[in-house]
Amino acid sequence: HKLMNHESFEKIPTYSEFCHVTKKFGPPYDYILLKDGIKEYRYIQRNQIAPGVTEYVNFIFATSYEGYIIGKNVETVTGTAELYRH
């Protein structure tokens, strides 16, 4: 699978089927079930900025209950500890 980054994220069109994203990039890091059957999927890119400091770029897809992408967003968080663990 390919890694999600800003360039690949921008190339994914809104209103396309989310199953195409998982085929190309693998399963998301996690998802949240919102109201009305909407799911919010998250892919994370980790960038080490300095020793012990990591930038986490969250690529977020909101999908309809039919599985179509209805919204996209990017959030960036910088931290000194491992923020995201499974």
Side-chain angles (χ1 to χ4, degrees), residues 4-6 8-10 12-16 18 21 25 28-34 38-45 56-64 68-77 84:
M4 182 76 64
N5 58 37
H6 283 283
S8 58
F9 179 78
E10 291 301 324
I12 299 168
T14 305
Y15 305 114
S16 61
F18 187 72
V21 175
F25 297 99
Y29 179 79
D30 67 3
Y31 75 92
I32 301 169
L33 182 60
L34 305 172
I38 295 172
K39 288 184 180 178
E40 189 176 89
Y41 293 94
R42 182 178 306 260
Y43 287 83
I44 299 174
Q45 177 185 25
Y56 300 89
V57 183
N58 296 270
F59 300 103
I60 302 165
F61 297 91
T63 64
S64 66
Y68 290 92
I69 298 169
I70 57 173
K72 296 174 18 176
N73 193 23
V74 177
E75 295 175 354
T76 302
V77 178
Y84 298 97

